[in-house]
Amino acid sequence: MTAVSATAGTATEARLIEIVFPDHTNHLGTLFGGQALAWMDKAAFVVATRYARRTVVTARSEQVDFRQPVRQGQLVELIARIVATGRSSMQVEVDLIAEDLLSGDARLCTRGRFTMIALDAHGTPTAVMPLAP
């Protein structure tokens, strides 16, 4: 189950919560990289859609750094932030933080950047508002 929240007063950040179940893991009991990327892309989609209030698509994922493994049973918090805008594009940085539910120990495990494009009703890239400084 996914929980989604927006930071109060801003459409430039969104947070999603997931739990790592056995079907999300590999033979070592750690989160599949592809599953981590899918959750990160979902978080980027949510924040970009809220920011643009348009249909958005992923144009690129880049510089994804897998720093620490995420273990079965851990809670995963994804924090997605709009960090830059172009004419129709939004650069979204996503942090994946794993938390041990019993100890409360949390650590940044993965960070990546996604380029999202806003589309109009005809599927053509359309302008987004510039990011305020």
Side-chain angles (χ1 to χ4, degrees):
M1 177 122 190
T2 301
V4 181
S5 67
T7 301
T10 180
T12 60
E13 183 176 292
R15 294 171 181 250
L16 280 68
I17 303 291
E18 299 282 353
I19 189 80
V20 180
F21 288 113
D23 61 327
H24 301 132
T25 65
N26 60 26
H27 65 290
L28 299 173
T30 60
L31 184 64
F32 281 120
Q35 183 65 62
L37 288 172
W39 286 345
M40 293 171 78
D41 187 47
K42 185 192 317 184
F45 168 82
V46 168
V47 74
T49 301
R50 281 183 166 165
Y51 182 82
R53 294 298 175 190
R54 302 265 187 214
T55 298
V56 300
V57 294
T58 305
R60 170 186 289 176
S61 63
E62 59 186 66
Q63 194 60 44
V64 177
D65 296 316
F66 294 91
R67 299 170 183 207
Q68 298 284 323
V70 180
R71 307 218 178 276
Q72 178 182 318
Q74 289 186 315
L75 181 100
V76 170
E77 182 173 14
L78 300 122
I79 305 168
R81 291 174 302 282
I82 305 282
V83 295
T85 56
R87 192 190 76 72
S88 63
S89 66
M90 293 155 282
Q91 296 294 317
V92 180
E93 187 174 273
V94 182
D95 289 341
L96 186 153
I97 298 165
E99 176 185 339
D100 182 284
L101 287 170
L102 300 180
S103 71
D105 178 50
R107 66 190 189 293
L108 175 65
C109 291
T110 308
R111 174 175 282 159
R113 187 174 283 239
F114 296 77
T115 301
M116 310 301 284
I117 305 294
L119 303 177
D120 65 16
H122 304 289
T124 304
T126 190
V128 296
M129 66 180 162
L131 185 64

